[in-house]
Amino acid sequence: MKINFISNYINHHQIPFCDCLYRKLGEDFTFIQTEPMEEERVKMGWAVDARSIPYVHLLYEEPEVCRGLIEDCDLLLAGWMEQEELIAGRLGSGKPAIRISERIYREGQWKAVSPRGLAHKYREHIRYRNKPVYLLCAGAYVASDFSLIHAYPGKRFRFGYFPETRHYNGKGPEERKAEDGPVQIVWAGRMMPLKHPEFVVRLAEDLREKGLDYRIHFIGSGELEDQLKGEIEQKGLSDRVILYGFLEPGEVRKKMEESHIHLFTSNHLEGWGAVVNEAMNSGCAVVANSEPGAVPYLIENRVNGMIYREGSYEQFREAVVYLMEHEEERRQMGRRAYDTICSLWNAENAAAQCMRFYENWQKGRVEPPAEGPFSIAPVIWPGRRSV
C-alpha cells in the first residue's frame, strides 16, 4: 500500500498523523510539500525543517520525483495547494483519492451562488462526483459548504488536525493541576479580531467583580496585543492576567497542563482550532465558541467541555463562572476531554482509519466507523444544528 499526502507545507499539526503512516508503511508513505512555509507562521514557532523528515519531498526541488509519486501511489491524500493542476490527472484517473479541506465558504455561504465561483468549484471538485474521489472534512461545517455545490455526495467524512497526543500515567494530566489556590485559566493564539482575545480582558474584569479567585495565562501576540496590554494595565488586572507573548508549542502545552480551564473564543473564520485538541489532551475543561470547525466534532456540551452559541459573550462568561463554581464537574469534563483525544481523536486512530479505508475500497466497499476520523460527516449548517 503506497500512500502519498500532498499539501502546501507540513506543520506540527500534521506531523503526528504523517509519522503514524510512516511507521506503518515505511518508504511507502511520502509527503509532498508544494511551497515553503509563510514567514508569519515561522515567526509563530511553526517552523519545521522539512528536509530532516525522511518521508518529505519538496516539489520545488524535486518536481519530476514528486509528479511520479502523485501518479504511482495507491491512495492520494490531497490537501490545499496553489497548483491544483498537479493532481487533476490523478483525480480523474479512476484510482482512489481523498481531498482534505477546510471550509470553502467560510466568509458566507451566499458565495455559493457566484457563477464564476461555481465554475472554479466545478473544475476543482464537482467534476469528480462520479469518480472514486472522497472528501475529508477538516471542520464540522465543511460538509454543509460542499453540499451546497453537490460535491462528493455520500463521500464526505469527518477529519481534522491531530497535534501530538500525550499519554499520562496515574490520574493523567490532572496530577499537574493545583488542587488549591486560584483557578488557572489559559488562552492561546494570535491576538487578532477573528480570535476575540478581548473576551479575556472582559472576563477578567467580570470575574474580579464576582470575587472569584483566578489567574489567566494569556499566550500569544498579534495586532491587538498592545491594545489589550494597555487595557489590562488600565483596569488594574496585571496581577490576575499574565501576558507571555508567543511561546514555543511545548511551552504552550505546559501551561495547558497546569490549567483547569481553556478558553477558545475564535469565530467562524477559524477553520479548525488545534489548540482545542491540545487543551483537551491536557485535561482542561474547554469553554468554546460553537463556530470554529473543531468544536462540534470534539466537544459534547456539558460532557467533555462547554459550548457557547455563536459568539455570545454572556454565554461564554456564564460557562466559565459555572466551571469555576462547580469544581467536581470541571474535573470530570477535563477527564472526559482527555479520554476523547486519547481514545478517538488522535493521529494513531486517524492513520489506522485511513489504511482501513483503502483496504475496504480494494474489496469494493466503504465502511465508515461510527464516530471519529473517517466517520460520516453530518451536514451541520453554521448557526444551526446538524440534520
Side-chain angles (χ1 to χ4, degrees):
M1 181 191 308
K2 293 183 178 181
I3 297 179
N4 177 261
F5 188 166
I6 180 171
S7 192
N8 55 345
Y9 50 73
I10 196 162
N11 61 63
H12 64 285
H13 294 154
Q14 297 166 324
I15 286 175
F17 172 69
C18 294
D19 281 351
C20 288
L21 286 174
Y22 183 65
R23 284 197 296 271
K24 295 173 184 294
L25 298 173
E27 293 183 358
D28 285 338
F29 173 73
T30 53
F31 183 101
I32 295 176
Q33 176 167 304
T34 64
E35 62 186 68
M37 184 178 290
E38 307 105 313
E39 186 62 28
E40 181 184 9
R41 296 286 185 183
V42 173
K43 290 178 180 178
M44 289 172 57
W46 281 39
V48 172
D49 182 6
R51 292 179 180 84
S52 70
I53 303 175
Y55 51 78
V56 173
H57 292 265
L58 306 178
L59 176 70
Y60 41 93
E61 294 185 2
E62 307 174 276
E64 295 307 315
V65 170
C66 292
R67 291 177 188 277
L69 290 168
I70 293 168
E71 299 303 322
D72 294 341
C73 65
D74 297 309
L75 177 64
L76 178 69
L77 305 178
W80 186 87
M81 70 202 77
E82 289 279 3
Q83 300 165 271
E84 281 288 325
E85 68 276 7
L86 285 169
I87 59 174
R90 171 57 196 256
L91 297 184
S93 70
K95 297 174 69 175
I98 305 177
R99 302 302 306 266
I100 303 172
S101 180
E102 293 187 9
R103 294 194 63 189
I104 54 174
Y105 298 121
R106 194 179 302 180
E107 296 178 357
Q109 292 185 331
W110 57 269
K111 291 190 174 185
V113 302
S114 162
R116 183 176 179 181
L118 280 175
H120 176 74
K121 294 299 182 291
Y122 177 83
R123 292 191 300 271
E124 190 174 348
H125 298 289
I126 301 169
R127 62 173 165 160
Y128 304 115
R129 59 182 290 129
N130 295 320
K131 299 287 185 179
V133 182
Y134 302 81
L135 178 69
L136 289 178
C137 300
Y141 304 106
V142 175
S144 68
D145 281 0
F146 280 93
S147 72
L148 290 172
I149 59 172
H150 308 289
Y152 310 107
K155 299 186 291 184
R156 308 180 198 118
F157 307 108
R158 288 184 177 100
F159 205 61
Y161 294 96
F162 305 94
E164 176 194 3
T165 298
R166 297 183 179 180
H167 298 270
Y168 303 89
N169 298 322
K171 294 181 180 179
E174 188 178 330
E175 290 185 345
R176 291 162 170 76
K177 305 182 192 302
E179 295 185 4
D180 302 311
V183 175
Q184 304 295 324
I185 303 172
V186 62
W187 185 100
R190 284 178 289 169
M191 294 180 176
M192 57 193 300
L194 76 87
K195 293 180 182 288
H196 288 288
E198 75 278 3
F199 274 29
V200 176
V201 181
R202 290 182 65 184
L203 177 70
E205 194 170 23
D206 289 346
L207 295 181
R208 182 177 62 182
E209 289 181 4
K210 286 182 173 291
L212 295 170
D213 193 11
Y214 68 92
R215 295 293 182 275
I216 297 179
H217 304 276
F218 205 5
I219 302 170
S221 187
E223 61 192 88
L224 298 178
E225 182 179 10
D226 290 342
Q227 174 188 327
L228 294 167
K229 184 177 180 180
E231 290 180 8
I232 289 167
E233 293 174 353
Q234 178 187 355
K235 296 175 185 296
L237 294 166
S238 299
D239 60 331
R240 296 168 182 263
V241 181
I242 306 165
L243 287 160
Y244 293 87
F246 275 129
L247 295 178
E248 292 295 321
E251 289 298 311
V252 177
R253 287 295 291 267
K254 185 175 185 294
K255 292 300 177 186
M256 290 177 175
E257 291 169 345
E258 295 169 352
S259 297
H260 305 99
I261 298 171
H262 179 267
L263 310 176
F264 185 59
T265 53
S266 294
N267 66 19
H268 65 282
L269 296 175
E270 183 81 72
W272 179 258
V275 290
V276 178
N277 304 59
E278 295 168 332
M280 291 175 71
N281 184 217
S282 301
C284 294
V286 178
V287 177
N289 186 11
S290 62
E291 294 176 333
V295 175
Y297 278 2
L298 300 185
I299 299 177
E300 184 177 354
N301 191 34
R302 292 184 175 268
V303 176
N304 62 351
M306 296 192 74
I307 301 174
Y308 63 97
R309 303 295 302 173
E310 299 172 26
S312 166
Y313 172 77
E314 289 71 26
Q315 290 185 26
F316 165 74
R317 180 189 59 216
E318 289 171 8
V320 175
V321 170
Y322 181 87
L323 289 174
M324 293 184 71
E325 294 178 342
H326 296 80
E327 181 179 355
E328 184 54 35
E329 288 189 50
R330 184 180 74 222
R331 286 178 178 170
Q332 289 179 6
M333 286 186 198
R335 292 187 198 116
R336 294 187 192 115
Y338 173 73
D339 290 342
T340 297
I341 300 302
C342 288
S343 65
L344 189 64
W345 280 98
N346 58 71
E348 186 71 31
N349 185 41
Q353 293 298 338
C354 180
M355 294 177 65
R356 177 178 174 270
F357 171 89
Y358 178 70
E359 290 166 355
N360 283 339
W361 184 87
Q362 283 185 303
K363 299 171 184 176
R365 62 177 187 267
V366 175
E367 296 180 346
E371 55 184 342
F374 279 82
S375 61
I376 293 173
V379 173
I380 305 176
W381 300 102
R384 290 183 274 168
R385 299 290 182 178
S386 61
V387 295

